Amino acid sequence: MTPIRPDLASLPAYVPGRAVPGAIKLASNEVPIPPPAPVLAAIAEAAGGGNRYPDLAAVALTERLAAELGVGTERIAVGCGSVSLCQQLVQISCRETTDEVIFAWRSFEAYPIVTQIGNARAVTPPLDGDFRHDLDAMAAAVTPNTRLIFVCSPNNPTGTVVHRAEFERFLAAVGPDVLVALDEAYFEYVTDPEAVDGTRLLEAHPNLVVLRTFSKAYRLAGLRVGYAVTAPDIATALRKVCAPFSISSVAQAGAIAALDHASELLAACKEVVGERVRVREALVAAGYTVPPTQANFVWLALGERTADFARHCGEREVIVRPFHPDGVRVTVSSPEENDRLLEAALAFAP
């Protein structure tokens, strides 16, 4: 018998959003327009050095992120997308099969995967009736075996946001001995003034890790680059377990160029914000249950009708992301593509 862990047979697969030729893809929370020309030029220039290994420590990108965020470079750890950093967090915090990782459910589908890969046990308090994190229940779930907690805000796939005051109460209840990862992959789309900004809480909470990415608002999903901002000892540990050379030269150059042109890139987020309001209001008016969203997607709570809705949309060449039997996540895209989604949704009785 091959010496492979038997539990991997039950490992949930990460299911990417489907792409169908000729159809509108609203299943992966991608931005429908490519990076601006100067960013593409920087990527092309970096590709010219593809025969050389990338900078192992991502020094230039780390320095640039530190300057943007007003923190020391020792607080930054760059990863191959924020998903990679999630797995690294499990690696640095969990050692025994009795170690526990807490995350709400439903939340980001990578959390149970990285938890099981890390040989830890998932603890999954449900979202509350408003599709938000039940932080009181999550705090109550902490045991002496708890090593790590993921809090996704805005939450993927429901779009709901955690507020600063409630998050500070949560951190106080959890205490300093458990790592708390605030996953802010959609931070740039947040407009709620009460929403938490994890970078403002780092000094008071050395066990806090803030995760962000260049995959969404910065339009670099294909390059795979994310980062963590945290206490120096945690950042050092994350760097130690990062796969060598996993952040390519092209990714590093693209991310730096994206920061150079952040004003142009982030201006497009305002258009998405306007469209998400329009899309949500139209869906609610049509009878759908759609919680307020602070991300670049909306959540349709369809329950057992989830698969039927996804199939209905697919027949009309609109690809959405079903999470059966809970609901469907739909990316907010261009006005034209959003109109196609609404046309399909209005032809389906909620």
Side-chain angles (χ1 to χ4, degrees), residues 42-255:
I43 291 170
E45 182 178 354
N51 56 309
R52 304 294 184 185
Y53 283 107
D55 174 10
L56 177 65
V59 172
L61 177 56
T62 299
E63 290 178 346
R64 182 60 190 277
L65 284 167
E68 291 285 335
L69 295 166
V71 301
T73 55
E74 71 279 2
R75 285 183 169 271
I76 302 288
V78 180
C80 184
S82 56
V83 175
S84 175
L85 288 161
C86 290
Q87 184 164 329
Q88 290 165 239
L89 282 166
V90 178
Q91 289 176 303
I92 69 172
S93 60
C94 297
R95 293 180 296 178
E96 309 290 340
T97 55
T98 54
D99 289 341
E100 296 172 348
V101 177
I102 298 175
F103 48 88
W105 200 251
R106 180 173 288 274
S107 192
F108 183 32
E109 63 182 313
Y111 298 154
I113 297 172
V114 299
T115 298
Q116 187 171 338
I117 289 173
N119 220 23
R121 190 172 80 88
V123 178
T124 56
L127 298 173
D128 68 16
D130 294 321
F131 309 97
R132 303 181 70 247
H133 280 71
D134 187 340
L135 293 178
D136 291 338
M138 293 178 71
V142 173
T143 74
N145 292 326
T146 304
R147 302 289 177 261
L148 172 65
I149 304 173
F150 287 111
V151 177
C152 190
S153 180
N155 185 46
N156 180 5
T158 63
T160 52
V161 75
V162 171
H163 292 154
R164 173 169 178 157
E166 64 181 343
F167 190 66
E168 288 186 290
R169 290 194 299 271
F170 172 74
L171 289 171
V174 169
D177 298 328
V178 177
L179 283 183
V180 177
L182 181 64
D183 189 345
E184 296 186 317
Y186 300 91
F187 175 79
E188 291 82 6
Y189 296 101
V190 174
T191 58
D192 184 344
E194 297 182 22
V196 65
D197 175 350
T199 62
R200 298 179 181 273
L201 303 177
L202 290 168
E203 290 295 335
H205 301 280
N207 61 321
L208 177 61
V209 183
V210 178
L211 299 175
R212 293 187 183 171
T213 184
F214 285 89
S215 294
K216 307 303 179 184
Y218 289 96
R219 306 184 205 166
L220 298 178
L223 297 192
R224 311 309 306 132
V225 55
Y227 59 96
V229 194
T230 186
D233 60 330
I234 300 173
T236 297
L238 286 170
R239 289 192 290 270
K240 285 181 177 179
V241 299
C242 183
F245 304 114
S246 60
I247 306 99
S248 72
S249 298
V250 171
Q252 293 181 45

Side-chain angles (χ1 to χ4, degrees), residues 297-317:
F297 54 84
V298 293
W299 172 252
L300 285 70
L302 288 162
E304 293 295 338
R305 304 194 70 195
T306 292
D308 291 340
F309 180 85
R311 188 180 307 110
H312 166 87
C313 289
E315 291 169 353
R316 286 154 180 79
E317 297 188 323

Side-chain angles (χ1 to χ4, degrees), residues 277-293:
V277 172
R278 180 177 77 90
V279 170
R280 177 178 179 269
E281 288 180 348
L283 291 170
V284 170
Y288 289 92
T289 298
V290 186
T293 175

